[in-house]
Amino acid sequence: MTDALTDDLTDILTIENGAPATPTFSAAEMARRRDAVRGVMADRGIDAAFFTSIHMIAYLSDFVYCSFGRSYGLALTPEAATVIAANIDGGQPGRRARASGAGALTYTDWRRENFEAAATRLLPARGRVGVEFDHLPIDRRARLQAALPEVEFVDVAADCMALRLVKSAEEIAHIKAGAAIADLGGAACVAAIGEGVPEHEVALASTGAMVRAIAERFPTVELMDSWTWFQSGLNTDGAHNPVTSRRVRAGDILSLNCFPMIAGYYTALERTLFFDHCDDASLNLWAVNVAVHERGLSLIRPGARCCDIAAELNEIYRAHGLLGRRTFGYGHSFGVLSHYYGREAGLELREDVETVLAPGMVVSMEPMIMIPEGEPGAGGYREHDILVVTEDGAENITGFPYGPAHNIVR
């Protein structure tokens, strides 16, 4: 402990409060991840790395931080991995980090520069240090540079994202469990739908079912961040529209969106539904989107390029005069990510992504079109499945049914 203001106030602490947590992944899996990043460091002549994003810190230490305006980091050297966390979190960062084979330092609020002071304890005073430029704001980078004036900071975000794109067997098993729990959330969502039921009540039923299922399947995991977006009518026009208190009415188009979060790993189930009945114009639009979805599922295989998948699916929409109603790319990677952190942009099914699919990648197929209010069939139509790319194809790990034959709720 150094730089004490008084005998009672210390800038940097090591807190070991309680036994290590039960780890999400094996020691071998966590060592594999850290060694893979060290391989990038060696290839690029980097002496150490300092990660500040939620996803990379979780990926390397099994600790998902809650920033709330504070800074967090993970220093990775050839010898050690150490989390830097804020004192407000008590011993929890250390319990999780120690379980994964990492260490932890805690900095206090007594001095504004304590985070940087902790970083200087763990990083070399000179040389090359890898950082994530996309998660290192200008002011924080300036403070780090002032604390380590002889260090050259180099970007390793893309290199580390490339490592995360291919999942291990343990990660895939974890993601499959999440997908199965999303299916349970979908069933609870459908069961809660009824005339006059508010969106938020449907969402609460779904989220509650998923949290309970996670607690049963993973009895030692932290239960946080699972959520449901259930949208109706006009609220279906955006994929990420928040839940409201609008009440479901007969003939409504509905969007079911279930997102169980398990140790920082996001999975999803998204479906178009209608309540009570579906008019002809809506049925026709829904059928087109289902056709795009099914063709997309067939295109997920090793060797396929993301941009080529997008281009082929565009032609189906174009043939029906609906290409201009598409609202986003056709799918994205899964792993350590959430709606408020993380994104593996190198594996998105978009026209400007040339990544080639490979075994071990996990990707969604989720076409969506939006028809504005006042037009026949108004609303947002979206189906979403998760696929694991295999050696000779892909395994669809989403079990919830899609399309008009299953999802007109009565």
Side-chain angles (χ1 to χ4, degrees):
M1 299 179 185
T2 62
D3 299 329
L5 294 175
T6 71
D7 291 340
D8 299 319
L9 300 181
T10 303
D11 294 345
I12 299 169
L13 308 166
T14 299
I15 300 177
E16 294 188 3
N17 191 38
T22 302
T24 306
F25 298 100
S26 70
E29 166 66 10
M30 298 307 293
R32 177 196 69 80
R33 300 178 186 190
R34 292 191 282 261
D35 287 345
V37 177
R38 289 183 177 117
V40 169
M41 290 160 50
D43 290 344
R44 295 193 53 190
I46 293 170
D47 302 292
F50 190 59
F51 297 102
T52 49
S53 69
I54 296 178
H55 47 274
M56 275 306 292
I57 293 175
Y59 188 69
L60 297 176
S61 72
D62 201 23
F63 168 55
V64 179
Y65 72 75
C66 175
S67 174
F68 231 124
R70 293 175 171 86
S71 298
Y72 289 75
L74 183 146
L76 184 70
T77 66
E79 299 78 28
T82 309
V83 169
I84 298 175
N87 195 32
I88 194 171
D89 293 318
Q92 192 255 1
R95 289 192 292 273
R96 296 224 61 85
R98 296 201 313 277
S100 76
L105 278 184
T106 294
Y107 73 95
T108 69
D109 288 346
W110 318 141
R111 297 183 191 272
R112 192 170 296 277
E113 66 272 15
N114 282 353
F115 174 74
E116 291 76 28
T120 63
R121 287 193 176 195
L122 303 171
L123 298 173
R126 58 188 55 83
R128 287 162 54 85
V129 172
V131 295
E132 302 162 280
F133 281 179
D134 58 345
H135 283 273
L136 189 59
I138 292 173
D139 62 335
R140 191 180 306 162
R141 181 177 172 184
R143 293 198 301 270
L144 280 173
Q145 191 71 77
L148 296 164
E150 297 184 57
V151 165
E152 177 191 2
F153 292 110
V154 295
D155 188 25
V156 294
D159 301 89
C160 293
M161 178 185 66
L163 295 178
R164 299 196 313 273
L165 291 185
V166 178
K167 315 303 179 193
S168 68
E170 287 190 32
E171 285 183 286
I172 289 172
H174 189 81
I175 292 168
K176 286 182 176 180
I181 289 170
D183 287 344
L184 295 176
C189 183
V190 169
I193 294 170
E195 181 74 39
V197 178
E199 290 178 2
H200 68 271
E201 291 295 341
V202 177
L204 286 170
S206 172
T207 301
M210 292 190 295
V211 170
R212 293 184 183 98
I214 294 169
E216 181 177 359
R217 172 67 177 79
F218 298 90
T220 61
V221 81
E222 297 167 348
L223 298 172
M224 63 179 188
D225 298 334
S226 295
W227 84 105
T228 300
W229 281 322
F230 175 74
Q231 301 134 349
S232 62
L234 178 62
N235 295 340
T236 65
D237 68 342
H240 302 153
N241 288 357
V243 171
T244 75
S245 58
R246 182 187 184 278
R247 296 177 181 271
V248 173
R249 300 192 294 263
D252 272 349
I253 185 172
L254 310 172
S255 286
L256 175 159
N257 308 271
C258 301
F259 307 106
M261 290 291 300
I262 309 172
Y265 277 71
Y266 159 106
T267 48
L269 168 69
E270 301 174 15
R271 288 289 184 259
T272 301
L273 311 103
F274 276 78
F275 177 59
D276 188 69
H277 65 273
C278 180
D279 62 86
D280 289 342
S282 298
L283 278 172
N284 291 334
L285 291 161
W286 197 359
V288 172
N289 211 54
V290 165
V292 173
H293 182 63
E294 291 179 340
R295 180 57 180 155
L297 294 174
S298 73
L299 295 176
I300 305 296
R301 60 182 184 272
R305 293 197 308 168
C306 294
C307 55
D308 295 336
I309 293 172
E312 181 166 338
L313 297 181
N314 281 347
E315 292 307 311
I316 303 176
Y317 280 139
R318 181 177 282 114
H320 293 274
L322 292 171
L323 184 57
R325 301 302 176 84
R326 206 192 93 192
T327 63
F328 57 88
Y330 289 102
H332 59 81
S333 181
F334 281 78
V336 185
L337 59 94
S338 176
H339 58 315
Y340 61 90
Y341 66 85
R343 190 68 166 183
E344 296 172 354
L347 187 51
E348 298 205 14
L349 303 182
R350 295 175 18 160
E351 296 83 349
D352 56 354
V353 176
E354 297 183 354
T355 301
V356 178
L357 298 184
M361 292 181 174
V362 183
V363 65
S364 61
M365 173 50 57
E366 50 177 309
M368 178 177 177
I369 53 175
M370 190 278 284
I371 310 302
E373 283 291 288
E375 296 188 22
Y381 298 77
R382 183 172 68 264
E383 312 297 342
H384 177 296
D385 287 16
I386 303 173
L387 297 98
V388 178
V389 181
T390 62
E391 294 293 334
D392 56 2
E395 178 188 0
N396 190 332
I397 62 174
T398 298
F400 199 89
Y402 60 83
H406 304 283
N407 288 331
I408 300 175
V409 181
R410 296 186 172 89

